[in-house]
Amino acid sequence: MRTLLAVLVSGLVLGCNQEGTEALEGGGDAVRSVADARFDDPEVTRVHSRMVETMAPGNGWERTRYIQWDWMVNRGEGVEPTRRSHRWDRWQNDLRTEAAVDGQRMIALFNHDEPLAGRVWLDGELQEGARADSLLTRANAMFVNDSYWLLMPYKWTDPGVRAEYLGEQTDDDGRRWEVIQLSFEDVGLTPQNMYHAFVNPETGLMERWHYIAREGAEPSMVNWSGWRSFGPIMLAPDRPVDGVSRIYFENLVADTVVPEGALAAPAP
């Protein structure tokens, strides 16, 4: 569990060294989908293209404007799980994040591109000045971490990711994997992190990752399980460690429109 908790702060919203991919986001003209991305390593291109077509057929990722989730951490029997709720308009990059902070209920409305321009409340009271800046910075960091735990397989094509094909591996249970190493340029919150993405060649889905805190560190293994469809895309709600779902997701929604009131301020 101690190792797992170290992993919890490792997330980053990053991407890869692909050529000439344009998204459909923001209502622009479609040129290519993420599945058409071309990496420097053609084996990465092959694995990634199949993975995206499996997870998000028919440009599902590009058509998905809205994603919501509650990021949950099971801290053991008899302990209330940690819950952090995110509601995200991907096309506008607007967010509503709700979490407990120092025993108070925080609700933050902000844009990921400029989080300090947002607004934040504690137990319904609007915060101002340095306190607001601190909370908005914290809310943005929560989003960065928690979204990576949910969406990492969709993030290989973001700016700043280096992707390398490590070949096939067979684990002790006889399961065969194709392994991609993801490392990062000087972007995101924790560019020293590295991930090994284990893609099941039978399903085309990433069903495991190894998180490496820094070069030379021992990897922490987490499975990605329960893949199923949510609107236009597939998501995996469970992250079992040693057979127990230490991290999981509730209230998952993916849609082509933003539901009315999804990003609303708290009632006065």
Side-chain angles (χ1 to χ4, degrees):
M1 190 62 176
R2 181 178 179 182
T3 300
L4 174 68
L5 293 178
V7 178
L8 301 187
V9 296
S10 70
L12 48 156
V13 178
L14 297 168
C16 102
N17 49 338
Q18 87 283 13
E19 299 177 357
T21 300
E22 296 187 36
L24 307 175
E25 299 173 17
D29 292 334
V31 178
R32 294 184 194 169
S33 72
V34 171
D36 293 327
R38 294 296 178 264
F39 294 75
D40 293 343
D41 188 332
E43 290 297 287
V44 176
T45 298
R46 175 183 59 80
V47 173
H48 176 263
S49 295
R50 184 189 174 201
M51 181 178 70
V52 173
E53 286 291 355
T54 301
M55 297 188 302
N59 292 327
W61 178 245
E62 289 79 8
R63 292 187 292 110
T64 299
R65 175 169 182 171
Y66 175 76
I67 304 177
Q68 74 172 46
W69 69 95
D70 291 357
W71 183 82
M72 310 290 295
V73 181
N74 174 7
R75 299 190 180 275
E77 187 176 351
V79 180
E80 185 73 17
T82 296
R83 180 187 300 270
R84 300 200 298 231
S85 301
H86 303 279
R87 309 294 181 258
W88 182 26
D89 179 347
R90 289 185 59 235
W91 291 3
Q92 300 299 325
N93 236 351
D94 289 331
L95 284 145
R96 186 185 194 274
T97 291
E98 182 174 345
V101 173
D102 300 329
Q104 295 180 286
R105 178 182 178 227
M106 179 193 74
I107 295 177
L109 302 179
F110 61 99
N111 186 281
H112 180 54
D113 298 323
E114 196 176 1
L116 296 187
R119 295 176 294 161
V120 60
W121 293 260
L122 283 178
D123 286 346
E125 182 177 347
L126 183 65
Q127 305 296 297
E128 297 180 350
R131 180 57 170 158
D133 289 350
S134 175
L135 290 167
L136 288 164
T137 299
R138 189 166 177 180
N140 189 54
M142 291 176 181
F143 164 73
V144 169
N145 181 80
D146 301 355
S147 62
Y148 204 66
W149 272 93
L150 178 66
L151 301 171
M152 180 269 216
Y154 292 98
K155 304 302 292 178
W156 295 14
T157 58
D158 288 355
V161 167
R162 297 182 293 265
E164 177 185 355
Y165 183 72
L166 299 185
E168 293 190 2
Q169 294 185 20
T170 302
D171 62 23
D172 293 339
D173 296 327
R175 297 185 66 185
R176 187 167 60 90
W177 306 93
E178 292 197 277
V179 185
I180 309 296
Q181 177 174 283
L182 302 175
S183 58
F184 310 101
E185 298 173 8
D186 190 16
V187 291
L189 301 181
T190 51
Q192 74 277 9
N193 294 163
M194 183 183 299
Y195 294 85
H196 289 173
F198 286 70
V199 178
N200 184 336
E202 295 183 4
T203 65
L205 296 169
M206 193 195 87
E207 297 178 8
R208 176 179 296 172
W209 79 13
H210 285 179
Y211 158 70
I212 304 165
R214 59 191 175 280
E215 188 173 356
E218 286 295 318
S220 298
M221 186 188 79
V222 177
N223 291 310
W224 288 51
S225 62
W227 282 98
R228 61 181 184 270
S229 294
F230 294 87
I233 62 175
M234 293 182 71
L235 297 168
D238 298 312
R239 305 288 177 273
V241 178
D242 297 329
V244 179
S245 289
R246 303 292 191 186
I247 298 172
Y248 57 100
F249 299 87
E250 292 185 344
N251 297 319
L252 275 165
V253 174
D255 207 339
T256 57
V257 297
V258 180
E260 185 176 354
L263 305 179

